[in-house]
Amino acid sequence: MLTDQYQQKRFLVVDDFENFRNSLKKMLFDLGGQYVDTAANGNQALKRCEQVAYDILLVDYNLGDGKNGQQLLEQLRLTKLLKHTSIFIMVTAEVDKEVVISTMEYQPEAYLAKPFTLGVLKHRLDKALRRNESLHDILSALNEDNYASAIAHCDELMRNGSRYSSWCLKTKADLLYQLEHLDEAKSIYQQAARERQPDWALLGLGKTLAKQKYYPEALRTLTTLVQNNPVALEGYDWIAKIHQEMDDYVSAQKALAKAVSISPRSPLRQQALAEVCWRNNDWDMAIEAYGRTVDLSRHSIHYGPNNSLDLARCLTSYVAVADEENIERLKQDSLHAISKITKEFKGNSEVRMQSKLIETRLYAAVRDEKKTKEMINTVEAMCDKSDARRAPETLLELARTYTFIDDKEKAEEVIARLTEEYAHDPLIAKQIDTLVETPVSQEGKDKVAQFNKIGIQHYKNDEFIVAIKKFSTALQLYPKNIVLNLNLAQALLSQLTGNTNNQEYWDRCQLCFMQVEHISETHEQYGRYIQAKKIHDSLKQPSLN
Amino acid sequence: MTDENHIDFSLVLASSIHDMKNSLSMLLHSLDQMYGNKKPKNEDEANGLAVLHYEASRVNNDLIQLLGLYRLQKNQLPLFTDEHFVYDLLEEQVVKNNVLLTSRDITATIDCDDAFSWYFDHDLLAGVINNMLVNAIRYTKNQVKLSAAMENDHLVIKVADNGTGYPELMLKDPMGHMKGIDFHSGSTSLGLYFAGEAAKLHKRDGFHGNIHLENGGELKGGIFQITIP
C-alpha cells in the first residue's frame, strides 16, 4: 500500500482519545506518510495550524470539552488558516441526526465514519487528493482571493470536459455572485435549475434574485428548494432575510424557527431567530434563542460579550412589559445574566459599563427608584473617572438608559455625540434610529418615507385598518418619529370618530401623543399635533367592561 | 407504565449504537495493532483475521441498518442528497470488502464511467450497495460485478454474481419477506427491505426509486438492481 504521494504531505490528526490518535497515525505511516502531527483538542489543533500549513487534516467531531470538530473547521475557515488547497476530513462515529446536519453546514472535503479500515482511509484520501490536484489552479487562485483567475480556470476545466465540470460550474456561479456580477451568475443558476434543480442552483438563484430585490420570485425559488430538500438550511436563512427586507417579521420568525428545529446547533442562526422574536415581542422565544446563542458560541469563533449582553437586554426589556406574576422571576433571571457577564468579562470596562446600564434599566422597570438612582450615579462616576473614548455600544446603552429613565436632556446629549461621531457607520446609525425622531441612517430615512407613502395611500382610499397596520409596523422600527406617530394617530382617530368604540385603538392613540408631547411650537408638525390632540380629547374614553 | 419510566427509545438506540460503533472501532484498531506490519503466520491465521474483519463489519452494517429502519418507521430519516461520483461509491464498497474478497478468492469488477455523477444520499446508498455486495459475496461462486449506468434518465446500479441466483419467491416480491421475518433468510430480507425503503425515499419529478431482483445476465447468477430517479 505504500505510495509516494503521501510522503510529502503534512498531516494533522485531531482526536481526544490517545488510542485513536496513535492508531490513525500508524495508518498514515503505513500509507507512506512521514510528517504526521497530532493534537488532543481544538485549541491545540489551532495552535498547530498557526505554525504549520497542513495539507491534510483528519479531525474527529467529538473532541471532549471545548471546541468540537465542526467549530474547529469553522474557525479555521473564517481565519483562513485552512487553505482551499488543504483537505479537511471529518471523522465521526456520530449517528445523531443533529450532529450530521450541523457538520454538513461547513462542508468538509470528506467524511469518514468510524470504524474504517486502512483500505477505506486510503480510498478517501486518494479521491480527495485526486480532486484537489485536478482543481489545483482554481483552489490556489482562491487562496489568493483572486476570483477572476479562479473563474478563468473553472472555464478551462469545463472546456476540457473535466470530471469536476459540475463543481466548476457551481463554483464559477458562486464567485460571480460574490463579485456582484449578478446577471451572469443568475443565468448559470437558471439554466442549471431548469435542467435538474440541484440545491446549489436553486439557492444561488434565490440569493441572486434577493440581491436584485426581486423578492417574490426569490421567495418562490427558495420555497421550491426547501420543499425539494427540507434540510437545505441556508434556504430558510434566505427566506427569513427576504421577509425581513419586506418587513414581514412574523414570516421571518417562522422560517428561522423551522431551520432551528432542524439544526439547533448554529449560534448565528439562533441569534438571528432571537432578534426577530424580540422584534415580534415574542419574548419567551427570544430569550430562549439568546440563551442558546450564548451556550452554543461558548467554544466557537463567535464567542464574546455581545451575545450575553443581548440576552440581558432582552430580559430587561421583557421585565418592563411583563405581567405582574412574572416580574419577580424575570428580574432574578436578568440579575443572574448580568452577574454572569460581570464575572466572565471582568477585564473589559466597556462591557462592565454596559451591563451596569442594563441593570439600571432593570431597576427602573421594576420601579425601584432608589436603586435606579444609585446605579446611574455609579455609571456616571465611572464615566467621569476615565476620559477614554467610549465605545459606540456603551454610548448607545447610555442613550437607551437615559431615554428609559426619562432623563431627556442627558439622552439628547449622548445621542448628539453618537450621531456626530458614528452616523457614517450604518450599523450604529440603525441603532441610533430607534432612539430618535428622524432616522439618521439612509436606510431608515428611506424606510420611513416608504411606509408613510404606502400608509397615506391606504388612508386616502379609506382603507384605515391597512393604513394603521403600515404605520404601526414602521413605528416598531422608529418609535419616536413624529410624522409617523401623527399619521397613525390620525388614522386611529378616523376610526374612533366613526362608530368604532375600541379600547385598543384609544390606548394606541394615547401612546402616539405621549411620544410626541415634547414637540416644540416651532416644529412644522406642531399645528397637526394640536389639532389631532383636540379631537382625541373631545372623544370619551371607551368604557371598560 | 408511568411517565417517569417513559424513555425516548430513539435516543437510547442512537446513543447505544454510537457506543457500540466506538467499541467496534477500538476492536478493529487493536486487532491491527496486534498484528502490526507482520504478515499472518499461516493460512489459518489469515482466515481467522478475515473472519474477524468480516464479522465486525457485518455488526457495524447491521447497527447502521437498525437505526436506519427505526428512523424510517418514525419518518425521521432525513435525506441528504448531493451530487456524487457513482464510480467512487462502488469502488469504496469493494475496498471495504477487500479482505473478505481476497480470503474467499472472489474477483470483483466495476463497470461504470469514471466521470458519471448523480444526485443521491451517499451514506444511505453506500449502506445499501455494501449490504448487497456482502450478500453477493456470500452466495457467489467466484465472481461479483458492480455496474452503473443511466437508463431512461434514471441511475441504475446492479450487483450481479455467478451463484445460483435468488429463490423464486424473492424474485416475485423482494420486500414481501418482511411480512414474517424468517430467521434463515432474515438478514437478506431485512437488507432488501431497507434497500427498497431507501430507494423509495429518493424521488424526482413524480418518480420514486425502486429495487428489482432477477436471475441470469452476463454472470448467470443473481442480480440486484436499484433505480434512483
Side-chain angles (χ1 to χ4, degrees), chain B:
Chain B
M1 202 194 263
T2 64
D3 268 357
E4 269 170 69
N5 289 328
H6 185 75
I7 46 168
D8 181 355
F9 188 63
S10 161
L11 212 65
V12 176
L13 196 67
S15 77
S16 314
I17 287 181
H18 177 93
D19 215 41
M20 286 188 264
K21 277 162 71 78
N22 260 332
S23 299
L24 218 55
S25 202
M26 285 310 296
L27 201 113
L28 286 173
H29 282 297
S30 11
L31 198 67
D32 284 344
Q33 258 170 353
M34 259 168 63
Y35 274 87
N37 286 327
K38 285 176 288 182
K39 283 237 153 70
K41 280 191 220 99
N42 51 44
E43 208 173 312
D44 278 355
E45 216 175 85
N47 278 337
L49 209 61
V51 170
L52 269 167
H53 271 283
Y54 170 62
E55 294 299 338
S57 73
R58 259 176 49 113
V59 172
N60 189 44
N61 290 341
D62 282 349
L63 286 174
I64 296 172
Q65 198 168 283
L66 192 65
L67 189 68
L69 282 168
Y70 180 76
R71 290 210 173 126
L72 261 178
Q73 212 186 8
K74 295 235 143 191
N75 289 324
Q76 277 186 344
L77 197 66
L79 210 59
F80 299 110
T81 41
D82 205 346
E83 190 177 7
H84 303 281
F85 290 110
V86 182
Y87 185 90
D88 293 357
L89 171 83
L90 301 182
E91 191 184 43
E92 188 168 288
Q93 309 321 309
V94 173
V95 168
K96 266 187 207 161
N97 292 289
N98 245 338
V99 182
L100 189 62
L101 288 162
T102 321
S103 74
R104 300 204 176 176
D105 223 3
I106 295 168
T107 338
T109 48
I110 297 173
D111 180 12
C112 174
D113 190 309
D114 178 57
F116 180 30
S117 63
W118 203 258
Y119 292 84
F120 53 83
D121 184 314
H122 185 277
D123 288 353
L124 208 54
L125 208 54
V128 169
I129 305 297
N130 185 51
N131 256 321
M132 290 306 135
L133 179 61
V134 170
N135 196 45
I137 292 171
R138 204 161 131 200
Y139 293 106
T140 190
K141 214 158 78 195
N142 57 7
Q143 284 186 54
V144 289
K145 183 178 171 184
L146 300 175
S147 57
M150 191 163 78
E151 288 177 21
N152 302 322
D153 201 27
H154 296 310
L155 161 68
V156 175
I157 300 178
K158 290 177 182 168
V159 182
D161 63 61
N162 64 347
T164 51
Y166 287 98
E168 201 60 34
L169 250 168
M170 255 189 190
L171 291 177
K172 275 193 205 133
D173 185 8
M175 287 168 76
H177 271 243
M178 278 308 290
K179 282 167 197 154
I181 285 196
D182 167 1
F183 281 98
H184 294 293
S185 65
S187 93
T188 308
S189 324
L190 198 66
L192 283 172
Y193 176 77
F194 185 67
E197 292 295 324
K200 254 202 277 179
L201 282 177
H202 291 85
K203 52 187 170 212
R204 179 168 69 101
D205 295 339
F207 287 101
H208 283 264
N210 62 64
I211 60 163
H212 174 74
L213 296 180
E214 61 183 52
N215 291 330
E218 195 191 323
L219 294 183
K220 311 239 182 312
I223 302 171
F224 164 83
Q225 177 183 312
I226 184 166
T227 305
I228 303 289

Side-chain angles (χ1 to χ4, degrees), chain A residues 109-178:
Chain A
E109 273 72 25
Y111 299 89
L112 208 51
K114 280 182 187 173
F116 52 85
T117 60
L118 185 60
V120 171
L121 173 65
K122 181 178 172 345
H123 186 255
R124 286 282 162 100
L125 287 176
D126 284 351
K127 294 291 162 185
L129 278 179
R130 177 184 173 193
R131 172 184 175 276
N132 275 24
E133 263 161 37
S134 299
L135 303 176
H136 182 266
D137 292 344
I138 302 170
L139 301 175
S140 304
L142 290 177
N143 281 344
E144 258 129 58
D145 290 324
N146 188 345
Y147 290 179
S149 156
I151 291 173
H153 286 297
C154 284
D155 282 332
E156 193 187 328
L157 254 67
M158 286 190 279
R159 262 199 310 277
N160 298 335
S162 158
R163 187 183 203 231
Y164 305 98
S165 289
S166 119
W167 182 89
C168 290
L169 186 65
K170 170 192 183 291
T171 304
K172 179 185 175 181
D174 289 349
L175 292 173
L176 286 169
Y177 171 86
Q178 300 271 339

Side-chain angles (χ1 to χ4, degrees), chain A residues 347-491:
Chain A
N348 187 333
S349 62
E350 296 294 321
V351 170
R352 203 167 53 227
M353 275 184 62
Q354 288 169 42
S355 61
K356 287 234 181 298
L357 284 163
I358 297 171
E359 197 174 341
T360 310
R361 292 207 297 279
L362 174 66
Y363 292 129
V366 298
R367 298 196 175 77
D368 186 337
E369 275 165 39
K370 192 167 153 260
K371 279 209 167 147
T372 309
K373 200 157 222 144
E374 274 172 28
M375 279 311 282
I376 197 76
N377 287 340
T378 318
V379 177
E380 281 170 351
M382 278 167 80
C383 260
D384 292 342
K385 221 160 73 188
S386 74
D387 346 295
R389 198 183 137 101
R390 296 259 87 94
E393 290 80 10
T394 311
L395 292 176
L396 277 168
E397 210 64 75
L398 200 57
R400 275 186 209 116
T401 309
Y402 281 135
T403 307
F404 191 77
I405 63 174
D406 229 14
D407 192 336
K408 291 203 180 78
E409 212 172 294
K410 281 185 177 158
E412 267 164 36
E413 211 174 282
V414 179
I415 291 166
R417 188 173 157 192
L418 262 168
T419 312
E420 195 188 305
E421 286 179 43
Y422 298 102
H424 59 276
D425 179 337
L427 285 176
I428 305 292
K430 223 172 149 175
Q431 294 290 320
I432 302 175
D433 284 354
T434 61
L435 296 163
V436 293
E437 292 159 11
T438 314
V440 297
S441 77
Q442 193 53 47
E443 191 199 338
K445 282 177 194 158
D446 294 347
K447 273 226 162 115
V448 167
Q450 192 198 345
F451 269 113
N452 253 332
K453 215 176 109 190
I454 300 170
I456 290 167
Q457 196 62 45
H458 286 295
Y459 181 82
K460 281 185 179 157
N461 295 342
D462 291 343
E463 295 157 341
F464 298 117
I465 310 277
V466 190
I468 288 170
K469 213 176 138 197
K470 288 288 161 195
F471 291 132
S472 304
T473 314
L475 276 169
Q476 272 178 13
L477 302 171
Y478 313 104
K480 292 187 165 279
N481 188 269
I482 290 179
V483 177
L484 279 173
N485 271 301
L486 288 176
N487 283 349
L488 178 60
Q490 199 174 329

